[in-house]
Amino acid sequence: MLVSALPHFRAAGYETHVLSTGVDRGGFAPALERAGCVVHHIPFDRRLAFAHRFHRLVAAVKPHVTHVHCERAAPLYAGLAAPSARVIRTIHACFDFTGTLRLRKGGERWLCRRVFGVIHAAPSPSVRDNERHRFMNDTALCPNWYDDSRFFPPTDAERHAARRDLGFAPDDFVVASVGNHEPVKNYHRALQAIRQLPPERRVRFLHVGRPIDPSTGESLPQLAAGLDLSDQARFVGQSDEVPRYLHAADIHMMPSMREGFGMAAVEAMASGLPQILADVPGLADFKGIAPGVVHASPTVNGLAAALAAMSAISDAERRQAGLAIAVAARSRFSTATGVARYVQLYGSSNSC
Protein backbone atom coordinates (compact mmCIF):
# COMPACT_ATOMS: atom_id res chain seq x y z
CA MET A 1 0.00 0.00 0.00
CA LEU A 2 2.67 2.47 0.99
CA VAL A 3 4.88 1.84 -2.01
CA SER A 4 2.00 2.39 -4.42
CA ALA A 5 0.95 5.54 -2.52
CA LEU A 6 4.33 7.29 -2.36
CA PRO A 7 3.98 9.18 -5.68
CA HIS A 8 0.62 10.52 -4.51
CA PHE A 9 2.01 11.59 -1.13
CA ARG A 10 4.95 13.30 -2.86
CA ALA A 11 2.55 15.12 -5.14
CA ALA A 12 0.77 16.41 -2.03
CA GLY A 13 4.08 17.63 -0.60
CA TYR A 14 4.89 14.81 1.79
CA GLU A 15 8.21 13.04 2.22
CA THR A 16 7.88 9.68 3.95
CA HIS A 17 10.03 8.21 6.71
CA VAL A 18 9.27 4.71 8.02
CA LEU A 19 10.29 3.34 11.41
CA SER A 20 10.70 -0.41 11.82
CA THR A 21 10.52 -1.58 15.45
CA GLY A 22 10.99 -5.29 14.72
CA VAL A 23 14.00 -7.38 15.63
CA ASP A 24 15.37 -6.65 12.15
CA ARG A 25 14.53 -4.01 9.54
CA GLY A 26 12.12 -6.33 7.76
CA GLY A 27 12.20 -7.97 4.37
CA PHE A 28 10.27 -5.15 2.71
CA ALA A 29 12.68 -2.39 3.76
CA PRO A 30 14.65 -2.46 0.45
CA ALA A 31 11.45 -2.07 -1.57
CA LEU A 32 10.44 0.90 0.55
CA GLU A 33 13.85 2.48 0.06
CA ARG A 34 13.76 1.92 -3.70
CA ALA A 35 10.39 3.66 -3.75
CA GLY A 36 11.80 6.70 -1.96
CA CYS A 37 11.14 6.05 1.74
CA VAL A 38 13.74 6.75 4.37
CA VAL A 39 13.78 3.63 6.57
CA HIS A 40 14.81 3.85 10.22
CA HIS A 41 15.22 0.88 12.55
CA ILE A 42 14.90 0.88 16.35
CA PRO A 43 14.16 -2.61 17.74
CA PHE A 44 11.37 -2.39 20.29
CA ASP A 45 12.38 -2.68 23.92
CA ARG A 46 10.32 -2.07 27.06
CA ARG A 47 13.21 -0.28 28.71
CA LEU A 48 13.53 3.49 28.85
CA ALA A 49 16.34 3.45 26.31
CA PHE A 50 13.87 2.65 23.51
CA ALA A 51 11.72 5.68 24.32
CA HIS A 52 14.84 7.84 24.41
CA ARG A 53 15.96 6.61 20.98
CA PHE A 54 12.51 7.22 19.49
CA HIS A 55 12.44 10.72 20.97
CA ARG A 56 15.84 11.45 19.41
CA LEU A 57 14.56 10.24 16.05
CA VAL A 58 11.56 12.56 16.25
CA ALA A 59 13.83 15.46 17.17
CA ALA A 60 16.12 14.69 14.23
CA VAL A 61 13.43 14.16 11.56
CA LYS A 62 11.07 16.89 12.82
CA PRO A 63 7.96 15.37 11.20
CA HIS A 64 4.86 17.45 10.65
CA VAL A 65 2.76 14.28 10.88
CA THR A 66 3.45 11.07 12.79
CA HIS A 67 1.29 8.14 11.63
CA VAL A 68 1.12 5.25 14.11
CA HIS A 69 0.05 1.83 12.83
CA CYS A 70 0.71 -0.50 15.76
CA GLU A 71 -1.28 -1.34 18.89
CA ARG A 72 1.83 -1.97 20.97
CA ALA A 73 3.16 1.18 22.64
CA ALA A 74 0.84 3.48 20.67
CA PRO A 75 0.49 5.94 23.60
CA LEU A 76 4.28 6.15 23.89
CA TYR A 77 4.67 7.16 20.24
CA ALA A 78 1.78 9.59 20.49
CA GLY A 79 3.02 11.21 23.69
CA LEU A 80 6.55 11.73 22.39
CA ALA A 81 5.51 12.94 18.93
CA ALA A 82 2.47 15.08 19.81
CA PRO A 83 4.32 18.18 21.08
CA SER A 84 5.75 18.84 17.62
CA ALA A 85 3.57 16.90 15.14
CA ARG A 86 0.01 16.04 14.27
CA VAL A 87 -0.51 12.41 15.25
CA ILE A 88 -2.73 10.04 13.28
CA ARG A 89 -3.24 6.47 14.40
CA THR A 90 -4.81 3.81 12.18
CA ILE A 91 -6.30 0.88 14.08
CA HIS A 92 -5.99 -2.04 11.70
CA ALA A 93 -7.97 -4.79 13.45
CA CYS A 94 -11.15 -5.51 15.39
CA PHE A 95 -9.47 -5.96 18.76
CA ASP A 96 -11.70 -8.06 21.02
CA PHE A 97 -10.03 -7.18 24.31
CA THR A 98 -12.07 -7.98 27.41
CA GLY A 99 -11.87 -7.43 31.16
CA THR A 100 -9.08 -5.31 32.58
CA LEU A 101 -7.25 -5.32 29.23
CA ARG A 102 -10.27 -3.76 27.59
CA LEU A 103 -10.37 -1.07 30.28
CA ARG A 104 -6.66 -0.37 29.86
CA LYS A 105 -6.89 -0.15 26.08
CA GLY A 106 -9.92 2.11 26.35
CA GLY A 107 -7.97 4.33 28.72
CA GLU A 108 -5.04 4.45 26.33
CA ARG A 109 -7.29 5.55 23.50
CA TRP A 110 -8.86 8.24 25.70
CA LEU A 111 -5.41 9.49 26.70
CA CYS A 112 -4.25 9.62 23.08
CA ARG A 113 -7.39 11.37 21.91
CA ARG A 114 -8.01 13.85 24.73
CA VAL A 115 -4.48 14.60 25.96
CA PHE A 116 -2.28 14.09 22.91
CA GLY A 117 -4.84 15.15 20.29
CA VAL A 118 -4.53 11.93 18.28
CA ILE A 119 -6.93 11.43 15.38
CA HIS A 120 -7.87 7.75 15.19
CA ALA A 121 -8.69 6.19 11.82
CA ALA A 122 -10.30 2.86 10.93
CA PRO A 123 -9.87 1.01 7.62
CA SER A 124 -13.37 -0.48 7.64
CA PRO A 125 -16.84 0.03 9.15
CA SER A 126 -16.30 -3.12 11.23
CA VAL A 127 -13.21 -1.68 12.92
CA ARG A 128 -14.91 1.68 13.34
CA ASP A 129 -17.95 0.07 15.00
CA ASN A 130 -15.79 -2.13 17.23
CA GLU A 131 -13.80 0.87 18.43
CA ARG A 132 -16.96 2.83 19.15
CA HIS A 133 -18.81 0.07 20.99
CA ARG A 134 -15.91 -1.59 22.80
CA PHE A 135 -13.71 1.41 23.62
CA MET A 136 -16.02 4.44 23.13
CA ASN A 137 -13.46 5.64 20.60
CA ASP A 138 -14.65 7.56 17.55
CA THR A 139 -12.60 7.07 14.39
CA ALA A 140 -12.41 8.53 10.92
CA LEU A 141 -13.20 6.00 8.21
CA CYS A 142 -10.21 5.67 5.85
CA PRO A 143 -10.42 2.43 3.87
CA ASN A 144 -7.23 0.74 2.75
CA TRP A 145 -6.33 0.83 -0.91
CA TYR A 146 -4.82 -1.59 -3.39
CA ASP A 147 -2.06 -1.06 -5.93
CA ASP A 148 -4.10 -0.29 -9.03
CA SER A 149 -0.99 -0.46 -11.20
CA ARG A 150 -0.68 -4.21 -10.43
CA PHE A 151 -4.20 -5.50 -9.85
CA PHE A 152 -6.64 -5.30 -12.77
CA PRO A 153 -8.75 -7.75 -14.80
CA PRO A 154 -6.72 -9.81 -17.27
CA THR A 155 -7.42 -9.93 -20.97
CA ASP A 156 -8.66 -13.25 -22.31
CA ALA A 157 -5.16 -13.96 -23.61
CA GLU A 158 -3.58 -13.19 -20.24
CA ARG A 159 -6.08 -15.39 -18.45
CA HIS A 160 -5.58 -18.33 -20.80
CA ALA A 161 -1.80 -17.98 -20.55
CA ALA A 162 -1.88 -17.94 -16.74
CA ARG A 163 -4.08 -21.02 -16.59
CA ARG A 164 -1.94 -22.83 -19.16
CA ASP A 165 1.30 -22.01 -17.35
CA LEU A 166 -0.13 -23.31 -14.06
CA GLY A 167 -1.48 -26.46 -15.66
CA PHE A 168 -5.20 -25.80 -15.26
CA ALA A 169 -7.62 -27.21 -17.84
CA PRO A 170 -10.23 -24.97 -19.49
CA ASP A 171 -13.04 -26.67 -17.56
CA ASP A 172 -11.33 -26.57 -14.16
CA PHE A 173 -13.09 -24.40 -11.57
CA VAL A 174 -10.15 -22.65 -9.91
CA VAL A 175 -10.73 -21.21 -6.44
CA ALA A 176 -7.93 -18.89 -5.31
CA SER A 177 -7.22 -17.87 -1.72
CA VAL A 178 -4.47 -15.43 -0.77
CA GLY A 179 -3.16 -15.26 2.77
CA ASN A 180 -0.78 -16.88 5.22
CA HIS A 181 -2.06 -19.96 7.02
CA GLU A 182 -3.10 -19.34 10.62
CA PRO A 183 -6.20 -20.40 12.58
CA VAL A 184 -8.15 -17.18 11.98
CA LYS A 185 -7.89 -17.65 8.20
CA ASN A 186 -10.07 -20.79 8.47
CA TYR A 187 -8.46 -22.66 5.57
CA HIS A 188 -9.05 -26.05 7.17
CA ARG A 189 -12.81 -25.56 6.77
CA ALA A 190 -12.32 -24.29 3.22
CA LEU A 191 -10.56 -27.54 2.32
CA GLN A 192 -13.30 -29.59 3.96
CA ALA A 193 -15.89 -27.61 2.00
CA ILE A 194 -14.11 -28.33 -1.28
CA ARG A 195 -14.08 -32.01 -0.34
CA GLN A 196 -17.89 -31.97 -0.29
CA LEU A 197 -18.25 -30.96 -3.93
CA PRO A 198 -18.65 -33.78 -6.47
CA PRO A 199 -15.71 -34.59 -8.79
CA GLU A 200 -17.59 -33.46 -11.88
CA ARG A 201 -17.40 -29.85 -10.65
CA ARG A 202 -13.61 -30.07 -11.16
CA VAL A 203 -12.83 -27.75 -8.25
CA ARG A 204 -9.17 -26.79 -7.94
CA PHE A 205 -7.86 -24.92 -4.88
CA LEU A 206 -5.00 -22.45 -5.46
CA HIS A 207 -3.46 -21.09 -2.26
CA VAL A 208 -0.96 -18.23 -2.31
CA GLY A 209 0.79 -17.51 0.98
CA ARG A 210 2.64 -19.27 3.74
CA PRO A 211 1.12 -22.80 3.89
CA ILE A 212 2.39 -23.70 7.37
CA ASP A 213 1.18 -22.09 10.61
CA PRO A 214 4.37 -21.15 12.49
CA SER A 215 2.62 -21.19 15.87
CA THR A 216 1.31 -24.75 15.56
CA GLY A 217 3.26 -26.31 12.71
CA GLU A 218 0.00 -27.24 11.00
CA SER A 219 0.48 -27.76 7.26
CA LEU A 220 -2.18 -27.07 4.65
CA PRO A 221 -0.65 -29.57 2.17
CA GLN A 222 -0.84 -32.25 4.86
CA LEU A 223 -4.45 -31.33 5.62
CA ALA A 224 -5.25 -31.56 1.92
CA ALA A 225 -3.55 -34.95 1.69
CA GLY A 226 -5.60 -36.21 4.62
CA LEU A 227 -8.75 -35.21 2.75
CA ASP A 228 -7.59 -36.85 -0.51
CA LEU A 229 -7.32 -33.41 -2.10
CA SER A 230 -3.64 -33.42 -3.05
CA ASP A 231 -4.52 -33.66 -6.75
CA GLN A 232 -7.02 -30.79 -6.44
CA ALA A 233 -5.00 -28.36 -4.32
CA ARG A 234 -1.89 -26.37 -5.11
CA PHE A 235 0.10 -24.44 -2.51
CA VAL A 236 2.53 -22.03 -4.14
CA GLY A 237 3.81 -20.35 -0.97
CA GLN A 238 4.56 -16.67 -0.59
CA SER A 239 4.99 -14.94 -3.92
CA ASP A 240 5.48 -11.53 -5.51
CA GLU A 241 3.39 -12.73 -8.47
CA VAL A 242 -0.04 -12.65 -6.82
CA PRO A 243 -1.70 -10.93 -9.84
CA ARG A 244 -0.65 -13.80 -12.13
CA TYR A 245 -2.22 -16.38 -9.81
CA LEU A 246 -5.41 -14.35 -9.56
CA HIS A 247 -5.53 -14.13 -13.36
CA ALA A 248 -5.62 -17.94 -13.48
CA ALA A 249 -8.58 -18.23 -11.08
CA ASP A 250 -12.33 -18.32 -11.61
CA ILE A 251 -13.24 -16.96 -8.18
CA HIS A 252 -11.58 -15.84 -4.97
CA MET A 253 -12.54 -17.23 -1.56
CA MET A 254 -11.72 -15.67 1.81
CA PRO A 255 -13.08 -17.89 4.60
CA SER A 256 -11.57 -15.98 7.55
CA MET A 257 -13.19 -15.90 10.97
CA ARG A 258 -12.55 -12.14 11.09
CA GLU A 259 -10.59 -9.47 9.25
CA GLY A 260 -9.74 -5.85 9.88
CA PHE A 261 -10.30 -4.95 6.25
CA GLY A 262 -9.76 -7.84 3.84
CA MET A 263 -7.01 -6.49 1.60
CA ALA A 264 -6.65 -9.75 -0.33
CA ALA A 265 -10.36 -9.63 -1.13
CA VAL A 266 -10.06 -6.12 -2.57
CA GLU A 267 -7.06 -7.08 -4.69
CA ALA A 268 -8.99 -10.06 -6.03
CA MET A 269 -12.03 -7.87 -6.74
CA ALA A 270 -9.81 -5.45 -8.63
CA SER A 271 -8.54 -8.43 -10.64
CA GLY A 272 -12.07 -9.15 -11.80
CA LEU A 273 -12.92 -12.16 -9.66
CA PRO A 274 -16.28 -12.98 -8.11
CA GLN A 275 -15.98 -13.52 -4.37
CA ILE A 276 -17.00 -15.95 -1.67
CA LEU A 277 -16.39 -14.08 1.57
CA ALA A 278 -17.10 -15.22 5.10
CA ASP A 279 -19.95 -13.28 6.68
CA VAL A 280 -17.77 -11.88 9.47
CA PRO A 281 -16.49 -8.47 10.62
CA GLY A 282 -14.17 -6.89 8.09
CA LEU A 283 -15.60 -8.91 5.18
CA ALA A 284 -19.29 -8.27 5.76
CA ASP A 285 -18.45 -4.62 4.97
CA PHE A 286 -18.28 -5.58 1.29
CA LYS A 287 -21.96 -6.54 1.13
CA GLY A 288 -23.74 -4.77 -1.71
CA ILE A 289 -20.57 -3.59 -3.44
CA ALA A 290 -21.61 -5.47 -6.61
CA PRO A 291 -23.46 -8.62 -7.70
CA GLY A 292 -21.10 -11.57 -7.58
CA VAL A 293 -19.76 -10.82 -4.11
CA VAL A 294 -21.32 -13.61 -2.05
CA HIS A 295 -21.18 -13.91 1.72
CA ALA A 296 -21.38 -17.26 3.47
CA SER A 297 -21.21 -18.65 6.95
CA PRO A 298 -17.56 -19.56 7.75
CA THR A 299 -18.61 -23.16 8.34
CA VAL A 300 -17.92 -26.20 6.19
CA ASN A 301 -21.53 -26.41 5.03
CA GLY A 302 -21.83 -22.66 4.46
CA LEU A 303 -18.70 -22.50 2.34
CA ALA A 304 -19.61 -25.68 0.46
CA ALA A 305 -23.05 -24.30 -0.45
CA ALA A 306 -21.51 -21.07 -1.75
CA LEU A 307 -18.92 -22.99 -3.78
CA ALA A 308 -21.60 -25.22 -5.28
CA ALA A 309 -23.68 -22.22 -6.31
CA MET A 310 -20.73 -20.32 -7.76
CA SER A 311 -19.43 -23.34 -9.69
CA ALA A 312 -22.85 -23.81 -11.29
CA ILE A 313 -22.67 -20.39 -12.96
CA SER A 314 -21.29 -20.27 -16.49
CA ASP A 315 -17.80 -18.95 -17.08
CA ALA A 316 -19.20 -16.09 -19.17
CA GLU A 317 -21.52 -15.02 -16.35
CA ARG A 318 -18.70 -15.12 -13.82
CA ARG A 319 -16.46 -13.07 -16.09
CA GLN A 320 -19.16 -10.46 -16.61
CA ALA A 321 -19.82 -10.21 -12.88
CA GLY A 322 -16.10 -9.97 -12.20
CA LEU A 323 -15.64 -7.01 -14.51
CA ALA A 324 -18.43 -5.13 -12.71
CA ILE A 325 -16.82 -5.96 -9.36
CA ALA A 326 -13.49 -4.59 -10.60
CA VAL A 327 -15.13 -1.29 -11.55
CA ALA A 328 -16.73 -1.05 -8.09
CA ALA A 329 -13.43 -1.84 -6.35
CA ARG A 330 -11.54 0.77 -8.34
CA SER A 331 -14.09 3.49 -7.55
CA ARG A 332 -13.86 2.80 -3.81
CA PHE A 333 -10.35 1.50 -3.12
CA SER A 334 -7.97 2.89 -5.73
CA THR A 335 -4.64 4.27 -4.54
CA ALA A 336 -5.54 7.88 -5.30
CA THR A 337 -8.85 7.60 -3.45
CA GLY A 338 -7.25 6.12 -0.34
CA VAL A 339 -4.36 8.56 -0.21
CA ALA A 340 -6.70 11.54 -0.60
CA ARG A 341 -8.50 10.57 2.60
CA TYR A 342 -5.28 10.52 4.58
CA VAL A 343 -3.95 13.73 3.04
CA GLN A 344 -7.14 15.35 4.28
CA LEU A 345 -6.44 14.08 7.81
CA TYR A 346 -2.79 15.05 7.63
CA GLY A 347 -3.66 18.59 6.62
CA SER A 348 -3.06 19.34 2.96
CA SER A 349 -1.29 22.62 3.72
CA ASN A 350 1.48 20.77 5.56
CA SER A 351 4.59 19.90 3.64
CA CYS A 352 7.30 17.66 5.05
Side-chain angles (χ1 to χ4, degrees):
M1 284 178 59
L2 184 53
V3 166
S4 67
L6 283 173
H8 299 272
F9 280 123
R10 280 196 292 269
Y14 287 90
E15 175 187 321
T16 304
H17 290 242
V18 174
L19 171 62
S20 165
T21 60
V23 175
D24 53 40
R25 295 173 77 239
F28 208 66
L32 290 168
E33 289 175 327
R34 287 194 299 271
C37 278
V38 180
V39 179
H40 306 272
H41 179 219
I42 306 176
F44 181 77
D45 193 313
R46 293 185 179 277
R47 291 174 295 185
L48 186 61
F50 173 79
H52 180 62
R53 292 182 67 188
F54 176 72
H55 187 256
R56 284 195 303 174
L57 176 64
V58 171
V61 174
K62 296 181 175 62
H64 293 80
V65 177
T66 297
H67 193 156
V68 180
H69 290 275
C70 50
E71 178 69 24
R72 180 180 67 182
L76 171 68
Y77 303 128
L80 293 176
S84 58
R86 174 175 295 182
V87 180
I88 310 295
R89 182 191 165 194
T90 297
I91 299 166
H92 286 281
C94 291
F95 293 107
D96 56 357
F97 302 131
T98 59
T100 56
L101 182 58
R102 175 184 179 182
L103 293 175
R104 177 166 70 83
K105 291 297 183 178
E108 289 179 357
R109 284 155 168 75
W110 181 91
L111 176 70
C112 288
R113 187 176 66 251
R114 298 296 297 272
V115 178
F116 302 139
V118 174
I119 299 173
H120 290 99
S124 70
S126 290
V127 173
R128 179 192 59 190
D129 294 346
N130 184 69
E131 285 292 311
R132 180 181 297 149
H133 297 144
R134 191 175 295 271
F135 305 111
M136 294 182 290
N137 183 38
D138 287 331
T139 59
L141 183 61
C142 294
N144 291 341
W145 58 88
Y146 69 95
D147 185 349
D148 45 29
S149 70
R150 295 185 66 222
F151 294 94
F152 46 81
T155 64
D156 288 340
E158 289 171 331
R159 181 170 183 261
H160 293 323
R163 291 173 73 91
R164 181 195 64 235
D165 293 346
L166 293 172
F168 293 123
D171 57 346
D172 283 342
F173 178 62
V174 181
V175 180
S177 283
V178 180
N180 293 328
H181 176 39
E182 54 186 278
V184 73
K185 295 299 184 180
N186 203 30
Y187 289 129
H188 61 292
R189 290 196 179 95
L191 288 170
Q192 294 172 47
I194 291 171
R195 182 70 178 83
Q196 289 194 8
L197 271 69
E200 56 267 25
R201 293 295 176 94
R202 297 187 60 83
V203 180
R204 302 291 182 263
F205 183 60
L206 177 62
H207 177 260
V208 184
R210 187 187 61 234
I212 298 175
D213 180 0
S215 63
T216 65
E218 184 180 70
S219 165
L220 286 179
Q222 290 180 1
L223 288 174
L227 294 167
D228 294 325
L229 291 176
S230 293
D231 292 340
Q232 293 177 241
R234 177 175 299 184
F235 303 95
V236 300
Q238 294 176 316
S239 173
D240 291 330
E241 299 183 1
V242 175
R244 183 170 74 95
Y245 292 112
L246 293 176
H247 287 178
D250 292 288
I251 69 165
H252 172 261
M253 177 168 64
M254 199 164 188
S256 307
M257 300 304 295
R258 68 177 182 275
E259 290 283 344
F261 177 76
M263 193 70 244
V266 169
E267 291 172 346
M269 290 181 203
S271 301
L273 291 180
Q275 306 285 311
I276 295 177
L277 305 178
D279 194 359
V280 298
L283 296 179
D285 298 327
F286 298 121
K287 287 182 178 178
I289 187 172
V293 178
V294 175
H295 286 79
S297 168
T299 61
V300 174
N301 289 339
L303 295 171
L307 283 167
M310 195 70 80
S311 66
I313 301 173
S314 71
D315 182 66
E317 290 175 308
R318 284 195 300 267
R319 290 279 284 160
Q320 184 177 10
L323 292 175
I325 292 169
V327 171
R330 187 174 184 86
S331 69
R332 291 165 172 80
F333 307 117
S334 69
T335 306
T337 299
V339 171
R341 293 187 178 102
Y342 273 113
V343 167
Q344 185 175 14
L345 285 188
Y346 290 173
S348 58
S349 62
N350 288 334
S351 178
C352 31

